[in-house]
Amino acid sequence: MRTEGKRWMAAIVTGLLLAGGSVHAKRLVPKMEVRGVVNLNTATVEQLDALPGVSHKTAEGIVAKRLKAPFKLASEVAHVAGFGGKRYLRLKAHLAVSGPTTLVVQEVPQTP
């Protein structure tokens, strides 16, 4: 099975090289634009999961934490496993502990 996977990968790399491209020529991850806020105390798992870099498991962890005690400050989310301080700093403008969730995440068109 491992040999089959290596052959498949070699075929893809060879195809890219023969096509004139390189393995690192294009980035396949789309850029996302984030607007609005997500209320950490009322948002659904799906709304939290929509935040860039937040996994479904982390979103479930946020919901589990608020069931024990509601968030008083948005910065408290950095203590949830899988979130952390760096992610909080990147997303803090989109995190709230009161008011409605107005989060909108959409793909930004990329120019070639």
Side-chain angles (χ1 to χ4, degrees):
M1 188 71 171
R2 290 184 181 193
T3 303
E4 184 65 31
K6 289 178 183 177
R7 287 183 190 156
W8 181 78
M9 184 59 75
I12 290 174
V13 172
T14 303
L16 287 170
L17 293 174
L18 291 175
S22 70
V23 176
H24 302 288
K26 290 189 178 183
R27 194 169 172 207
L28 300 176
V29 178
K31 292 191 178 189
M32 303 303 278
E33 178 183 47
V34 181
R35 291 181 307 205
V37 296
V38 63
N39 182 330
L40 296 170
N41 289 317
T42 61
T44 64
V45 171
E46 290 75 22
Q47 290 170 321
L48 293 163
D49 190 21
L51 287 165
V54 176
S55 70
H56 189 78
K57 185 175 180 179
T58 301
E60 289 174 339
I62 293 169
V63 171
K65 185 194 178 312
R66 77 172 183 223
L67 290 175
K68 293 177 184 175
F71 291 95
K72 293 179 183 175
L73 301 170
S75 59
E76 294 172 4
V77 76
H79 299 290
V80 174
F83 206 92
K86 288 182 181 180
R87 183 159 294 130
Y88 166 72
L89 291 174
R90 278 196 310 269
L91 296 174
K92 70 180 181 178
H94 304 289
L95 303 174
V97 293
S98 62
T101 294
T102 60
L103 185 72
V104 176
V105 181
Q106 64 187 60
E107 191 174 322
V108 176
Q110 294 183 4
T111 56

